[in-house]
Amino acid sequence: MNNPCALSSQFLREQEGREKEATMGVRSVTRRQFLRAAGTVTAMTALGGMPFDVLAAPYERRLVRFPEKTDLILLTSRPPQLETPLSYFKDSITPNDAVFVRWHISQVPTSVDLAAWRLKVGGNTDKELQLSFDDLRKYEKVSYTAVIQCAGNGRSFFDPRVPGGQWKNGAMANVTWGGARLKDVLNAAGVKAGSVDVSFNGLDYGPLPSVPDLVKSLPTDKALEEDILIAYEMNGKPLTMLNGFPARLIVPGWYATYWVKALSDISVNTKAFEGFWMNPAYRIPDTECGCIPPGSKPGRTVPINRMSTRSLIITPGEGETLKANRPVTISGVAFSGGYGIKDVIVSADGGRSWTQASLGKDLGKYAWVQFSAPWKPAKAGSYTLMAKATNGIGDSQPFEGLWNPAGYLWNKVQPLAVTVK
Amino acid sequence: MKKTLILMIIAALSCAVISGLTRAVQAQQKEGAKSIELPVMAFDLADGPDRDKAQGYCAVCHGVEYIPMQPKLSKAQWAATVTKMIKVFGAPIPQEDADKITNYLGTAYGTGK
């Protein structure tokens, strides 16, 4: 009872057992098991021993290393939620091992055998497909660069604060995706008349049978758009397990909640799909800005969709100390929900005056573009830097943070403080 | 008593580091298959009445680090969260324990209002 290693290895064995059940497709924890587990914890604590999940490690944002990943910032370990340190955004393309990780429910796939993996496509279709990985690769391969961004990126900056994953700005990445067009796969199955939407399921599932499985849907006409992919490559390599191996949906321009990982089932539906993760989760107020007065309750809501226009200064970093009369470059990244970026303006005096930043290589309307502007602070003091992007159809960023109760769509012009000595 | 506790914490921490190191191995890639092992991490909730109920029940479905990650929430917000876990996610927590967990969270991780 006093040996935490013994207890934790017992926990590991239980965990392994659950994973084995998972690969066999068995729902893993019954109600009795749940009560037993909860009861064990209570009983062990009562006896003065250490429950299996208790370790006096205080929680903090710190770097952790998960398989196939570099050191990323820990939000939660089960399910894994890992944020990218901003220094990786100095590069135009985010390396695979630095791309953020966000799963919703704890039974995430940890083992996939491509010989056994199948992507099922069915529902209101002429025929049902059971695509092997090789079958998927026989479709015309398309690749482009697109920003993947969590709907809750920046949630921790909301005022008043809202519950949920407390992301700063690192739940985003710029990745070159490669795969088959969803449209081509759907057309091969033959979408029949009367289809209203298409739903997508992956290999992850909940720790209890009652936990709603993560299933997302897109309206049929959206699903048949040219640019939506079933991607099996990120930056020319197979997907990392934690980013959705062997294949995931790419809905460029839209928030990543739709980019279902470890895709296993696609269903064409004649009745609108209404699972928990479409309603009430992942919805925004049905207003022009997707926002409402801070602290208020929304009336009508709609599923979150296209990404807001954003920019972020990466260098200099927050709180950095610079030297007077020494030239520096204010640089960062800017992107929108599939409309490209028309321009970025930069201020070094808290928004009183602005200069046009130069834009780096255009990697397409779904990618982020790097911006830079030279700056030579003449005097010592405290400075507030800002960047403001405008997308291809004229949408820009607000100076005050927009608010909604779930903490989505964050795109405030973010002030960044530096000191000049 | 305190010394024993500290020793246990040190033992537990080093155990976690070692098991973390051995388990956070890079993905094993064989022909046509991929397999990873996720590191197992554990966190201790703040002291307080009924802490063990929160620690035990919440950890069945998710890492308890979800709790200290949150901003300080009002008692009503914590009550709504616990209710969501029961009503939406089906956590079979008896009402009596749910109330205790809500009180604990509202005090240990709340605004006190």
Side-chain angles (χ1 to χ4, degrees):
Chain A
M1 200 43 85
N2 279 339
N3 182 348
C5 282
L7 286 168
S8 77
S9 42
Q10 178 201 333
F11 174 64
L12 295 181
R13 276 198 301 278
E14 285 174 11
Q15 181 101 331
E16 276 162 10
R18 286 205 291 271
E19 279 162 13
K20 279 198 189 104
E21 285 175 12
T23 50
M24 297 190 298
V26 178
R27 288 284 187 165
S28 64
V29 184
T30 62
R31 183 187 159 89
R32 209 178 59 206
Q33 283 170 307
F34 178 99
L35 294 174
R36 203 180 58 204
T40 309
V41 172
T42 315
M44 277 165 27
T45 311
L47 288 168
M50 285 194 114
F52 62 74
D53 205 18
V54 177
L55 216 68
Y59 173 80
E60 56 183 348
R61 276 174 64 94
R62 63 185 163 96
L63 294 175
V64 293
R65 186 166 289 200
F66 274 60
E68 301 181 285
K69 290 280 143 189
T70 187
D71 288 348
L72 298 176
I73 301 159
L74 176 74
L75 263 67
T76 64
S77 63
R78 183 164 58 93
Q81 297 192 88
L82 310 170
E83 182 169 342
T84 307
L86 296 188
S87 58
Y88 288 100
F89 304 150
K90 287 177 188 170
D91 294 322
S92 174
I93 296 291
T94 315
N96 291 354
D97 65 355
V99 174
F100 76 96
V101 172
R102 194 277 191 260
W103 291 85
H104 297 75
I105 43 184
S106 67
Q107 306 309 100
V108 310
T110 54
S111 182
V112 175
D113 180 0
L114 287 184
W117 178 83
R118 292 290 180 276
L119 176 58
K120 194 177 128 198
V121 186
N124 193 39
T125 54
D126 295 332
K127 57 181 171 186
E128 187 182 288
L129 306 180
Q130 295 270 358
L131 300 178
S132 70
F133 193 67
D134 284 339
D135 293 337
L136 184 62
R137 282 193 297 192
K138 282 178 194 143
Y139 288 87
E140 185 190 347
K141 188 179 167 189
V142 176
S143 82
Y144 55 75
T145 303
V147 172
I148 176 169
Q149 182 185 214
C150 175
N153 196 26
R155 180 180 288 124
S156 64
F157 303 119
F158 270 62
D159 182 19
R161 297 281 300 269
V162 295
Q166 298 299 309
W167 304 98
K168 291 191 172 178
N169 288 313
M172 60 182 195
N174 198 40
V175 173
T176 303
W177 307 96
R181 285 188 196 93
L182 173 63
K183 186 184 86 167
D184 292 348
V185 172
L186 287 174
N187 286 342
V191 175
K192 291 208 284 202
S195 304
V196 295
D197 65 19
V198 183
S199 55
F200 304 88
N201 194 5
L203 295 173
D204 56 335
Y205 61 94
L208 300 174
S210 55
V211 172
D213 201 2
L214 186 111
V215 181
K216 297 294 294 187
S217 69
L218 294 170
T220 308
D221 52 350
K222 176 71 187 173
L224 289 169
E225 276 183 7
E226 189 75 10
D227 290 345
I228 299 179
L229 299 186
I230 301 170
Y232 44 82
E233 278 183 11
M234 53 196 291
N235 297 325
K237 297 265 167 54
L239 305 185
T240 64
M241 186 67 81
L242 290 173
N243 291 118
F245 182 85
R248 74 178 300 167
L249 203 64
I250 302 299
V251 188
W254 282 31
Y255 284 101
T257 176
Y258 295 99
W259 302 30
V260 174
K261 295 183 286 299
L263 205 54
S264 58
D265 289 274
I266 299 177
S267 172
V268 179
N269 307 312
T270 51
K271 269 193 200 138
F273 175 80
E274 281 278 343
F276 169 77
W277 300 102
M278 287 301 295
N279 190 6
Y282 283 111
R283 293 177 84 88
I284 52 172
D286 188 15
T287 59
E288 182 68 24
C289 57
C291 63
I292 50 174
S296 66
K297 285 203 166 69
R300 238 180 78 87
T301 60
V302 292
I304 193 169
N305 48 80
R306 206 173 276 283
M307 294 193 288
S308 305
T309 302
R310 280 198 79 171
S311 65
L312 192 68
I313 296 174
I314 304 300
T315 59
E318 174 73 42
E320 205 169 301
T321 301
L322 307 168
K323 285 190 174 139
N325 278 313
R326 176 83 57 91
V328 292
T329 304
I330 299 171
S331 65
V333 298
F335 60 94
S336 72
Y339 298 113
I341 288 294
K342 194 163 66 185
D343 70 65
V344 178
I345 52 174
V346 168
S347 171
D349 56 10
R352 278 189 293 279
S353 66
W354 296 86
T355 55
Q356 198 79 31
S358 23
L359 301 184
K361 193 176 172 198
D362 181 3
L363 295 175
K365 60 185 178 178
Y366 300 121
W368 69 37
V369 65
Q370 294 181 296
F371 67 85
S372 62
W375 179 47
K376 193 157 93 171
K379 284 191 294 191
S382 297
Y383 291 82
T384 301
L385 310 184
M386 290 178 172
K388 185 171 183 286
T390 302
N391 75 4
I393 57 165
D395 292 335
S396 189
Q397 305 178 247
F399 285 99
E400 290 299 324
L402 304 180
W403 195 91
N404 52 61
Y408 299 143
L409 311 172
W410 182 256
N411 73 333
K412 179 186 170 178
V413 171
Q414 202 160 312
L416 183 143
V418 292
T419 305
V420 174
K421 279 186 176 161
Chain B
M1 182 65 197
K2 258 205 168 142
K3 254 188 195 162
T4 320
L5 186 65
I6 291 167
L7 280 174
M8 277 173 66
I9 289 167
I10 291 169
L13 279 175
S14 36
C15 166
V17 169
I18 292 161
S19 81
L21 284 176
T22 50
R23 295 183 62 84
V25 286
Q26 292 304 300
Q28 305 291 310
Q29 187 98 46
K30 63 176 179 185
E31 191 66 30
K34 175 137 70 171
S35 196
I36 61 167
E37 286 189 87
L38 295 175
V40 174
M41 306 178 78
F43 296 88
D44 195 5
L45 292 177
D47 280 341
D50 298 311
R51 184 202 78 127
D52 298 337
K53 291 219 184 288
Q55 186 89 39
Y57 277 114
C58 301
V60 173
C61 287
H62 61 81
V64 295
E65 62 273 21
Y66 265 83
I67 296 162
M69 173 177 66
Q70 301 307 321
K72 285 199 181 303
L73 303 175
S74 68
K75 198 154 254 182
Q77 283 175 304
W78 277 124
T81 303
V82 173
T83 302
K84 180 180 166 187
M85 296 303 156
I86 297 168
K87 293 267 157 69
V88 178
F89 295 108
I93 307 174
Q95 193 55 48
E96 192 191 334
D97 285 341
D99 294 342
K100 286 178 179 167
I101 291 169
T102 299
N103 281 332
Y104 163 77
L105 294 171
T107 309
Y109 294 98
T111 53
K113 281 180 228 161

